[in-house]
Amino acid sequence: MQLVGAVDQGTSSSRFLIFDSQTSTVVTQHQIELKQKFPQEGWVEEDPLEILDSVKSCISTAVGNLADLGLDAADIKCVGVTNQGATTIVWDKVTGCPLYNAIVWLDTRTASTASDLVDKTPDKSIDHLRPLCGLPINACFSAVKLHWLLENSEAVCQAVQENRCLFGTVDSWLLWNLTGGINGGRHVTDVTNAGITMLMNLKTLQWDEELCSFFGVPKSILPEICSSSEIYGEITSGPLQHVPLSGILLDQQSAMVGQRCFSVGQAKNTYGTGCYLNFNTGAKPVESKTGMMTMVAYKFGPSQPPAYALMGGASVAGACVRWLRDNLGIIGTSAEVEALARKVDSTHGCYFVPALSGLFGTRWDPTARGIICGISQFTTKHHIARAALEAVCFQTREIIEAMEQDSGIPLTSLRVDGGMTDNDLLMQLQADLLQLDVVRPSMRETTAFGVAMAAGSAAGIGVWDLKQEGPHITTDTFTPSVTRAESDARYERWQLAVEKSTHWETASSTAESKDG
C-alpha cells in the first residue's frame, strides 16, 4: 500500500490526513482547533508556534493511528501542505522565534493602510496593480499586512535591518520548520501562495521589483518561489522523519485540484469560514473587470506550464453560522442551523448581508457592515437562520456571474466542497438560486486531497499520474427546484439589501464609536 499525507492548516484548525493512493480515501486523520486572538476591534491574530505545534501533534496522532489499523507508517511516501491564504507571519531566522503574531487574512486593521496605498497610486484606484499581480489593493492580502508590520513593529524593522527577518505565508512557516528550521530549513513557497501576497508577477511567476518597491518590502525577506509539485526537502524530526515534502497549494487551489477542475470552464466552490470559488481559465491569465482575483491555479513541476484561474470570495460563509451560534446564541452547534432553517418554507422577506468583515466578491468594500433587513413581527430565528444560508448562496451567484462576464465562458454546473456542504438545505438553495446543478462528491476532503495529489505526482515520488483519470468518486447532484423568475426576484431583493450595507463605516463613525 502506498499512502500520502496532507497537512491542511486552516483558519480555524489544523489537520493531518492520510490517503490511500489506490482508493483515494482517507485512512485516518486528526484535527486540532486553534485559538484566535482579538486584541482590538477588527484585529484577528493567531500564535505561529501554536499553528506549528498543532500540525506536529496532528501528524503524530494520525501516524500513531496507523498501527491500530494494521498499517505501517513507512508506507507514507510523501507529504503535501495546504493552508489558509494571505495570513502573514514574520520570524527571526537566527532564533526561529516569531517576531509578531500571525496576522490572519480576515484581519481588517490594515483597511486604512490599504486606503493610503490606493491614494499613493497615480489614478487612486484599487485596481492599479492588477496588470502585474491580478489583485486589487485590499487589506486582506499579505503585502498590505507586511507593509503595516514594517511601519508599526519595532522588532520586525530591527530584524530586517540586521538581516534576521523572514516572511512567509503559513506554508512557508511550516516548511521552514519541518525541514530543519534554524538548522537549514528551506525558506520556500509555491506559485499559488506567492500569488496571494500581491508581490509576485503573474507572468514571470517571480517576485516583482515594482510591486516590492510599491509596498516597501525588501526582497531579502521573501521565500523562494517554487512550483506546486516538487520535492522541497525532507521532514527532519518526528514520526515522519526523512519523508519528502513534495506538494504545496493554497487551500482554494488545492480544493480545485482535488475536484479535478483541470479543464477550461470548470469551477469549484469551497464553503468554509469564507466562501471561495475558482474558475479555470486555462494557460493565460484573464484580467478581471468585475473585481475578481486573477491567480495561478496550479503548476505541476518546475518545468511545467502554469494554469490560471479567476477566483472570487466572500469572507463570511461558515463564519456567519458561527456568528449565529456564538454571538446570538440561537443555535448550540453549527450543524443545528439546517434543522432550524427547515422549520420555515422561506425567509418571508428577511434578508441577511453577512458583511461582518466588509464585502469581498465584486465590491471590495471594507467599510460595509452586516445587516438583517425585511424584518417584521412575523420574523423568527428560523427565518434569520434560513436568510443566513441564502446569503451564502447569493454571494456565490454574484461571483459566478462576474466570472462568466470576465471569461465569456458560461458555467454548466458547480462542483462544491467544504464543511458547509454537509448541509443538504444549503446545497438545494444553492442550486435554486444559481439555476445550475450543484455536484457534491462523496469524498468531502477535496482540499487535503488536492495537495496530496500534487505531492504524490511530484517527480521522484510517482504515486499518482495526474494525466490519467483517477479512481471514480461518486457524487450527489442537487438540481433547481424553483423557476428562474423566482430565483431572479429573490436575488434582486438581496442586491437591494447589499446596497444598504455598503459604505457604512466612515472615519467619523469610527471616531464616534471610540468616544462612546
Side-chain angles (χ1 to χ4, degrees), residues 226-273:
C226 299
S227 76
S228 308
S229 179
E230 61 181 272
I231 297 176
Y232 315 103
E234 294 182 350
I235 297 175
T236 56
S237 62
L240 295 184
Q241 189 173 7
H242 303 309
V243 172
L245 284 157
S246 54
I248 306 172
L249 281 165
L250 185 63
D251 53 3
Q252 304 308 322
Q253 277 82 332
S254 189
M256 189 177 188
V257 172
Q259 292 269 29
R260 300 188 72 88
C261 293
F262 297 147
S263 299
V264 174
Q266 291 183 323
K268 71 84 203 168
N269 199 27
T270 298
Y271 300 76
T273 301

Side-chain angles (χ1 to χ4, degrees), residues 5-9 14-16 48-49 51-60 78-83 91 96 170-188 232-248:
V7 173
D8 182 0
Q9 203 300 300
S14 299
R15 300 192 302 156
F16 186 70
L49 293 175
I51 292 173
L52 177 62
D53 289 344
S54 68
V55 168
K56 289 181 175 180
S57 295
C58 287
I59 291 173
S60 295
C78 59
V79 171
V81 174
T82 183
N83 55 282
W91 67 96
V170 173
D171 60 303
S172 295
W173 167 246
L174 294 177
L175 261 291
W176 186 79
N177 280 284
L178 292 174
T179 57
I182 60 174
N183 298 311
R186 286 208 65 195
H187 188 212
V188 298
Y232 315 103
E234 294 182 350
I235 297 175
T236 56
S237 62
L240 295 184
Q241 189 173 7
H242 303 309
V243 172
L245 284 157
S246 54
I248 306 172

Side-chain angles (χ1 to χ4, degrees), residues 4-265:
V4 178
V7 173
D8 182 0
Q9 203 300 300
T11 310
S12 304
S13 68
S14 299
R15 300 192 302 156
F16 186 70
L17 302 90
I18 301 174
F19 291 90
D20 179 342
S21 64
Q22 290 183 325
T23 63
S24 299
T25 56
V26 178
V27 173
T28 185
Q29 63 173 300
H30 190 69
Q31 179 173 3
I32 295 176
E33 286 200 11
L34 295 173
K35 296 176 183 175
Q36 292 185 339
K37 305 172 187 291
F38 307 96
Q40 296 185 38
E41 183 181 357
W43 292 31
V44 187
E45 299 178 356
E46 291 177 349
D47 182 351
L49 293 175
E50 183 188 355
I51 292 173
L52 177 62
D53 289 344
S54 68
V55 168
K56 289 181 175 180
S57 295
C58 287
I59 291 173
S60 295
T61 302
V63 171
N65 293 342
L66 291 177
D68 296 333
L69 299 170
L71 300 174
D72 191 343
D75 290 330
I76 298 178
K77 303 304 179 186
C78 59
V79 171
V81 174
T82 183
N83 55 282
Q84 54 176 306
T87 292
T88 300
I89 301 178
V90 284
W91 67 96
D92 189 321
K93 67 181 179 183
V94 177
T95 65
C97 296
L99 295 166
Y100 200 90
N101 277 335
I103 302 180
V104 178
W105 58 274
L106 49 71
D107 182 292
T108 59
R109 79 183 70 185
T110 48
S112 59
T113 304
S115 180
D116 292 343
L117 289 167
V118 170
D119 289 341
K120 177 181 165 183
T121 66
D123 48 1
K124 299 191 184 313
S125 168
I126 66 169
D127 294 322
H128 179 73
L129 301 176
R130 271 190 185 275
L132 289 174
C133 65
L135 304 173
I137 301 171
N138 185 270
C140 73
F141 299 121
S142 305
V144 182
K145 300 182 187 303
L146 190 51
H147 182 88
W148 184 91
L149 282 166
L150 291 168
E151 286 194 332
N152 291 276
S153 171
E154 184 177 339
V156 173
C157 290
Q158 185 173 347
V160 170
Q161 292 169 4
E162 297 174 1
N163 195 30
R164 292 183 291 107
C165 181
L166 296 180
F167 153 80
T169 43
V170 173
D171 60 303
S172 295
W173 167 246
L174 294 177
L175 261 291
W176 186 79
N177 280 284
L178 292 174
T179 57
I182 60 174
N183 298 311
R186 286 208 65 195
H187 188 212
V188 298
T189 188
D190 90 303
V191 288
T192 64
N193 277 285
I196 204 74
T197 64
M198 290 199 76
L199 297 173
M200 185 188 79
N201 186 298
L202 262 185
K203 295 178 181 176
T204 67
L205 305 185
Q206 295 298 321
W207 302 121
D208 187 271
E209 292 284 357
E210 183 178 339
L211 293 171
C212 289
S213 175
F214 179 85
F215 289 105
V217 173
K219 289 177 71 175
S220 60
I221 71 174
L222 303 178
E224 175 189 354
I225 300 177
C226 299
S227 76
S228 308
S229 179
E230 61 181 272
I231 297 176
Y232 315 103
E234 294 182 350
I235 297 175
T236 56
S237 62
L240 295 184
Q241 189 173 7
H242 303 309
V243 172
L245 284 157
S246 54
I248 306 172
L249 281 165
L250 185 63
D251 53 3
Q252 304 308 322
Q253 277 82 332
S254 189
M256 189 177 188
V257 172
Q259 292 269 29
R260 300 188 72 88
C261 293
F262 297 147
S263 299
V264 174

Side-chain angles (χ1 to χ4, degrees), residues 465-488:
D465 183 354
L466 296 186
K467 295 178 181 177
Q468 298 180 356
E469 187 67 32
H472 178 69
I473 296 175
T474 59
T475 59
D476 298 321
T477 300
F478 296 83
T479 59
S481 62
V482 302
T483 64
R484 174 165 290 279
E486 181 182 342
S487 172
D488 290 348

